[in-house]
Amino acid sequence: QAPGQRITRGCPSWRRRRRQLKTGQIPEGPLLVAFSGGKDSLAVMDLCVRAGRHVEPFLMYFVPGMDYTQYWVDFAEKRWGVKVRLYQHFTISYFIRRGVFRSAPDPTFPIIKVEDVIAKAREDSGIEWAGFGYKLIDSLQRRGWWKRYAETGCDAGSKRFAPLLHW
């Protein structure tokens, strides 16, 4: 490999997933992308933008205004010219219910699930399809859920896609 050459350009999976985004296996229109600033979410963002799709990332934070979160929000806005939607992380509801980082638990506090945050991001943006940096190798649970969609990396029922599934 020549110095400065990008490995991802030669990766068949990369080309196949970018073509998938261009050719309609994922319906035309804008896409939501779960964004954290981690390598997987950065790759999904870059892949979708390079495929010519309009992308709106959403980020789940634990502490509003935290330097780490703001760094990645600013990075995404500068790199891709996007506005990042911010939502409180769903696990905060579990912390409140169980009294984690608090003096007393509050068992009446409603449980919020990741699906609730995704639904809210979809409602706020008007965008149906959401992309994630999921990979089959991440966990047995994830492998079990996504194995039926392994060929395309798309779950049309839940309108989710995972272009990095085989990385």
Side-chain angles (χ1 to χ4, degrees), residues 1-2 4-19 22 46-47 49-51 79 167:
Q1 175 173 335
Q5 182 182 0
R6 291 178 145 179
I7 295 172
T8 55
R9 292 256 176 186
C11 176
S13 179
W14 178 264
R15 286 193 308 267
R16 183 173 54 241
R17 294 307 179 204
R18 194 166 72 187
R19 189 170 47 249
K22 286 182 174 181
D46 207 51
L47 182 65
V49 170
R50 287 173 186 246
R79 172 82 168 98
W167 290 20

Side-chain angles (χ1 to χ4, degrees), residues 32 58-60 86-91 112-124:
L32 280 170
F58 67 97
L59 185 145
M60 291 183 267
L86 297 170
Y87 298 96
Q88 185 87 51
H89 201 283
F90 66 95
T91 57
I112 299 169
K113 298 181 180 179
V114 68
E115 290 83 12
D116 300 326
V117 178
I118 297 166
K120 180 66 174 151
R122 284 177 169 152
E123 178 187 325
D124 291 349

Side-chain angles (χ1 to χ4, degrees), residues 14-166:
W14 178 264
R15 286 193 308 267
R16 183 173 54 241
R17 294 307 179 204
R18 194 166 72 187
R19 189 170 47 249
Q20 175 186 46
L21 286 162
K22 286 182 174 181
T23 60
Q25 286 182 342
I26 299 167
E28 289 295 319
L31 302 170
L32 280 170
V33 172
F35 183 71
S36 65
K39 65 187 183 322
D40 299 330
S41 70
L42 290 169
V44 173
M45 280 291 299
D46 207 51
L47 182 65
C48 293
V49 170
R50 287 173 186 246
R53 303 297 290 267
H54 172 76
V55 180
E56 291 193 24
F58 67 97
L59 185 145
M60 291 183 267
Y61 63 86
F62 284 96
V63 179
M66 193 170 198
D67 286 351
Y68 175 84
T69 303
Q70 195 57 48
Y71 173 84
W72 289 111
V73 168
D74 294 343
F75 176 87
E77 289 175 354
K78 183 178 177 184
R79 172 82 168 98
W80 297 294
V82 296
K83 174 142 177 37
V84 180
R85 295 177 180 279
L86 297 170
Y87 298 96
Q88 185 87 51
H89 201 283
F90 66 95
T91 57
I92 296 295
S93 68
Y94 294 98
F95 294 165
I96 293 171
R97 281 181 71 90
R98 292 185 176 95
V100 177
F101 307 121
R102 294 170 48 106
S103 58
D106 182 358
T108 63
F109 196 86
I111 293 176
I112 299 169
K113 298 181 180 179
V114 68
E115 290 83 12
D116 300 326
V117 178
I118 297 166
K120 180 66 174 151
R122 284 177 169 152
E123 178 187 325
D124 291 349
S125 67
I127 300 172
E128 291 184 342
W129 279 85
F132 299 86
Y134 298 153
K135 298 186 307 284
L136 292 176
I137 200 166
D138 287 341
S139 68
L140 285 174
Q141 180 182 10
R142 191 158 287 161
R143 178 177 284 278
W145 171 253
W146 279 92
K147 71 179 178 182
R148 57 191 151 185
Y149 311 110
E151 180 67 29
T152 63
C154 297
D155 176 2
S158 68
K159 293 186 176 16
R160 293 184 188 196
F161 67 98
L164 311 182
L165 213 52
H166 295 285

